[in-house]
Amino acid sequence: PMRRLEDPATRARAMWAASQSPDGRRFVHAAALPSGRYELTVRDFDAGRILARVAVQGQPTASAWSPDSKRLAYCFRATGLND
């Protein structure tokens, strides 16, 4: 079922690059913060509660879990290199 996720702690402007873990217990998404920075947020799939937040350099564009659901990889668009 679909549900709306709210994050009053960060007031994220947008969320994307979502990926569910292979074991179905967690998912990750990228978020744009009002400050203009980006972060990856890992959530419990059933409860929607935040398990981890990681500030990242650049804009996340995609994410993927390892087959055992223990590791997470992401791609990002670097900023400031050729501006």
Side-chain angles (χ1 to χ4, degrees), residues 7 9-10 27-28 30-31 36 38 40 43 46 51-52 62 70 76:
D7 192 350
T10 61
F27 71 100
V28 64
Y38 300 97
L40 293 176
R43 294 180 182 256
D46 290 328
L51 301 174
K70 292 183 178 182
F76 64 94

Side-chain angles (χ1 to χ4, degrees), residues 2 4 6 9 20-21 23 25 30 46-48 50 52 57 73 77:
M2 302 252 320
R4 183 181 173 104
E6 307 245 353
Q20 185 174 1
S21 63
D23 66 9
R25 294 176 33 212
D46 290 328
I50 295 171
Q57 298 293 320
R77 181 175 302 129

Side-chain angles (χ1 to χ4, degrees), residues 12-19 27-33 37-43 54 56 58-63 72 74-76:
R13 296 182 311 189
M15 291 186 259
W16 68 95
S19 177
F27 71 100
V28 64
H29 64 80
L33 307 179
R37 296 188 177 190
Y38 300 97
E39 72 177 16
L40 293 176
T41 303
V42 179
R43 294 180 182 256
V54 179
V56 294
Q59 180 180 358
T61 58
S63 59
L72 182 62
Y74 71 94
C75 297
F76 64 94

